[in-house]
């Protein structure tokens, strides 16, 4: 297959490009230099020039707190940019994968959100990503919308790397214990996306590692596994705390566990539990 990846220098994009190449697909990885998604003409030109079978759209404005004040930038990239990619993909007849987020829900639930639950984003980031979903659904005849959560991987900055660092530097580490979700390892997500684009099972998917935890429980697991796998010694005393102790400009979902209804009903194998993904990530760091 010929696959074009936007946001190819991001943490998911880099793993995706590597996996696609390893599996023998022809890949065009685009970052802002190669294709500015906010420029419709450029999107049409680049995508028409490559003639991909599928476009995996990872590029996004993901600075959740900054988006609260820079509203235009969030919508320019997440809404208008996604429209541009969708239009250009549609013109060449390519399948389109739009990477979305758990932030499209209100985060006030108590049971896992499935794909057809009503969305109700509370932050500008969530609202702009939802706007992107709506545009993709309106403009593409062959789309997959894939919502994911708590993403981490070898490339770029993320929660796991931050905790590994702080755990060795700080005497005390307070981590929120009242936000629950599912961590997602980029390699596992990339594997699912690769499987998805080889089908015509279009629609909305929730794709995270299975099972759930709080950020505090995630940190406990990071420390335990890193001591075992990497032989690290953590000096920090780990303490649970509430979201209210860390006020942020953008509201964080209290509950963002997602049910993988579409994965099951479309006959895909579910993504493995998050702790297994975490272990493999630490083994990858070790290498």
């Amino acid at each position: 297959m010929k696959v074009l990846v936007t946001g190819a220098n991001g943490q998911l994009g880099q793993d995706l490009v590597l996996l696609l190449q390893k599996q023998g697909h022809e890949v065009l990885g685009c970052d802002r230099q190669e294709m500015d998604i906010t420029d419709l003409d450029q999107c049409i030109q680049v995508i028409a020039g490559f003639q991909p079978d599928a476009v995996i759209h990872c590029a996004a404005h993901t600075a959740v707190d900054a988006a609260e004040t820079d509203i235009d930038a969030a919508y320019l990239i997440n809404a208008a940019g996604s429209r541009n990619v969708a239009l250009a993909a549609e013109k060449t007849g390519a399948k389109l994968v739009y990477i979305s987020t758990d932030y499209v829900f209100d985060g006030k639930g108590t049971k896992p959100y499935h794909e057809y639950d009503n969305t109700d984003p509370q932050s500008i980031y969530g609202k702009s990503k939802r706007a992107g979903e709506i545009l993709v659904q309106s403009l593409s005849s062959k789309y997959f919308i894939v919502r994911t959560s708590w993403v981490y991987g070898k490339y770029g900055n993320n929660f796991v790397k931050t905790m590994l660092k702080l755990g060795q530097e700080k005497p005390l580490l307070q981590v929120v214990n009242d936000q629950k979700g599912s961590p997602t390892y980029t390699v596992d997500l990339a594997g699912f996306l690769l499987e998805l684009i080889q089908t015509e099972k279009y629609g909305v998917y929730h794709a995270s590692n299975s099972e759930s935890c709080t950020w505090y429980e995630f940190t406990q697991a990071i420390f335990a596994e890193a001591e075992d796998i990497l032989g690290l010694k953590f000096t920090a005393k780990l303490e649970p705390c509430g979201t209210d102790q860390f006020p942020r400009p953008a509201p964080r979902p209290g509950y963002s566990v997602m049910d993988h209804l579409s994965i099951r009903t479309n006959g895909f194998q579910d993504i493995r539990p998050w702790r297994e993904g975490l272990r493999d990530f630490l083994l990858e760091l070790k290498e």
Side-chain angles (χ1 to χ4, degrees), residues 160-173 223 226-227 230-237:
V160 183
K161 288 185 185 173
T162 302
M163 290 301 120
L164 289 173
K165 186 170 174 282
L166 294 180
Q168 297 175 84
E169 294 173 355
K170 301 264 187 200
L172 175 68
L173 202 51
F223 285 6
E227 281 180 0
L230 303 174
L232 295 180
K233 289 282 170 274
F234 295 100
T235 50
K237 179 174 182 284

Side-chain angles (χ1 to χ4, degrees), residues 79-287:
S82 299
R83 174 205 61 207
N84 296 345
V85 173
L87 279 167
E90 187 68 8
K91 269 183 189 289
T92 61
K95 298 173 183 181
L96 175 65
V97 182
Y98 172 71
I99 306 298
S100 192
T101 170
D102 55 318
Y103 275 72
V104 299
F105 296 109
D106 64 7
K108 295 174 181 143
T110 51
K111 61 178 198 294
Y113 292 98
H114 69 61
E115 288 82 351
Y116 306 103
D117 282 334
N118 290 332
T119 54
D120 185 15
Q122 302 294 301
S123 62
I124 296 298
Y125 166 65
K127 288 173 182 175
S128 66
K129 287 297 287 180
R130 177 62 188 140
E133 288 187 1
I134 294 166
L135 286 159
V136 164
Q137 286 172 311
S138 334
L139 298 166
S140 172
S141 58
K142 298 193 283 193
Y143 70 82
F144 305 95
I145 287 169
V146 180
R147 297 178 184 142
T148 190
S149 60
W150 298 23
V151 176
Y152 67 91
K154 187 165 117 181
Y155 305 101
N157 297 315
N158 55 60
F159 183 80
V160 183
K161 288 185 185 173
T162 302
M163 290 301 120
L164 289 173
K165 186 170 174 282
L166 294 180
Q168 297 175 84
E169 294 173 355
K170 301 264 187 200
L172 175 68
L173 202 51
Q174 290 182 309
V175 185
V176 291
N177 199 31
D178 57 0
Q179 293 174 23
K180 192 170 194 174
S182 303
T184 307
Y185 179 31
T186 46
V187 170
D188 290 340
L189 180 56
F192 172 68
L193 296 173
L194 178 56
E195 199 183 348
L196 198 59
I197 59 169
Q198 296 178 71
T199 74
E200 292 192 351
K201 295 177 177 179
Y202 305 117
V204 184
Y205 288 82
H206 287 173
S208 56
N209 280 100
S210 51
E211 300 177 5
S212 61
C213 58
T214 66
W215 289 109
Y216 171 72
E217 290 163 346
F218 189 25
T219 308
Q220 284 182 309
I222 292 166
F223 285 6
E225 298 293 354
E227 281 180 0
D228 182 39
I229 293 166
L230 303 174
L232 295 180
K233 289 282 170 274
F234 295 100
T235 50
K237 179 174 182 284
L238 195 56
E239 264 184 17
C241 71
T243 303
D244 52 3
Q245 283 174 261
F246 289 97
R248 307 282 278 280
R252 298 299 194 268
Y255 185 89
S256 64
V257 183
M258 295 188 293
D259 183 29
H260 300 175
L261 177 74
S262 291
I263 285 182
R264 292 194 303 276
T265 55
N266 284 290
F268 293 106
Q269 192 179 355
D270 203 357
I271 304 171
R272 62 182 171 168
W274 64 264
R275 191 139 183 167
E276 289 177 30
L278 173 64
R279 276 199 287 270
D280 270 8
F281 168 65
L282 294 169
L283 285 165
E284 189 185 17
L285 282 189
K286 190 180 182 178
E287 285 164 23

Side-chain angles (χ1 to χ4, degrees), residues 61-79:
H61 185 293
T62 56
V64 176
D65 288 322
E68 291 297 309
T69 45
D70 199 351
I71 298 169
D72 288 13
Y75 279 93
L76 175 65
I77 296 166
N78 294 342

Side-chain angles (χ1 to χ4, degrees), residues 13-80:
Q14 291 192 61
D15 269 325
L16 199 48
V17 168
L18 285 170
L19 180 67
L20 286 159
Q21 286 170 338
K22 203 165 85 180
Q23 300 278 344
H25 299 285
E26 191 182 334
V27 190
L28 178 61
C30 294
D31 220 68
R32 199 172 305 159
Q33 288 69 40
E34 293 80 32
M35 185 176 83
D36 179 356
I37 63 164
T38 66
D39 181 335
L40 176 59
D41 293 337
Q42 200 181 355
C43 288
I44 290 170
Q45 193 185 349
V46 172
I47 293 174
F50 185 60
Q51 287 288 313
D53 300 300
V55 174
I56 304 180
H57 179 35
C58 303
H61 185 293
T62 56
V64 176
D65 288 322
E68 291 297 309
T69 45
D70 199 351
I71 298 169
D72 288 13
Y75 279 93
L76 175 65
I77 296 166
N78 294 342

